[in-house]
Amino acid sequence: MFAFPFIISLLKDDLMNSKLSLKVSELADLVNAVIVGEPGRVITGFNRIEDVREGELSFYSDPKFAAFLKNTKASCLIVPSDFSLDIEEDVTYLKVENPYHALVKILQFVDSHKPKLSTQIHPTAIIDKSSSISES
């Protein structure tokens, strides 16, 4: 599972860059999660559990990261359905069977809603006769 920090670092700002924001209840519907906390909380980004800030989503599934739970700034954490550590009042939890799969599903959803760049030439574009396309 070494790729998850890399994936998160690539996509963590997608919500902020795309101006897309999602309510916790929408995320819960997407991954069939049980919500513990505030379903109306708005999520505007993703981050690793050790770097997460207010307004962001992260996930917890490995006990070696338990130390980061006590002082987390996360607005929402995806956790295993059997999660039973002390729950912080300021954090909303999404309890799921597999936090890794839930995170991937959410990241795929966000990625699918990013604006796509057009690969076509706009009809009003003016291209000079001397223009050329490099082979490299």
Side-chain angles (χ1 to χ4, degrees), residues 26-111:
E26 294 170 312
L27 296 174
D29 289 344
L30 184 64
V31 297
N32 297 319
V34 173
I35 301 171
V36 177
E38 177 55 49
R41 186 168 278 181
V42 176
I43 302 301
T44 57
F46 304 101
N47 219 327
R48 299 180 312 178
I49 195 164
E50 58 267 34
D51 299 323
V52 69
R53 299 175 304 219
E54 188 175 335
E56 293 180 333
L57 169 75
S58 192
F59 75 103
Y60 168 81
S61 66
D62 189 334
K64 73 180 181 182
F65 292 100
F68 294 108
L69 293 173
K70 186 171 179 91
N71 297 314
T72 186
K73 302 290 185 222
S75 289
C76 184
L77 284 173
I78 302 169
V79 297
S81 47
D82 63 351
F83 181 77
S84 63
L85 296 174
D86 291 337
I87 292 181
E88 296 290 323
E89 285 185 28
D90 294 341
V91 180
T92 297
Y93 297 88
L94 293 178
K95 288 189 165 192
V96 296
E97 203 58 40
N98 186 321
Y100 287 114
H101 290 160
L103 179 65
V104 168
K105 194 168 189 175
I106 291 168
L107 292 175
Q108 287 173 332
F109 175 81
V110 170
D111 188 55

Side-chain angles (χ1 to χ4, degrees), residues 100-130:
Y100 287 114
H101 290 160
L103 179 65
V104 168
K105 194 168 189 175
I106 291 168
L107 292 175
Q108 287 173 332
F109 175 81
V110 170
D111 188 55
S112 72
H113 286 80
K114 287 189 329 188
K116 305 296 182 218
L117 298 175
S118 174
T119 58
Q120 298 182 357
I121 298 171
H122 193 274
T124 63
I126 300 172
I127 303 171
D128 192 81
K129 291 180 184 183
S130 65

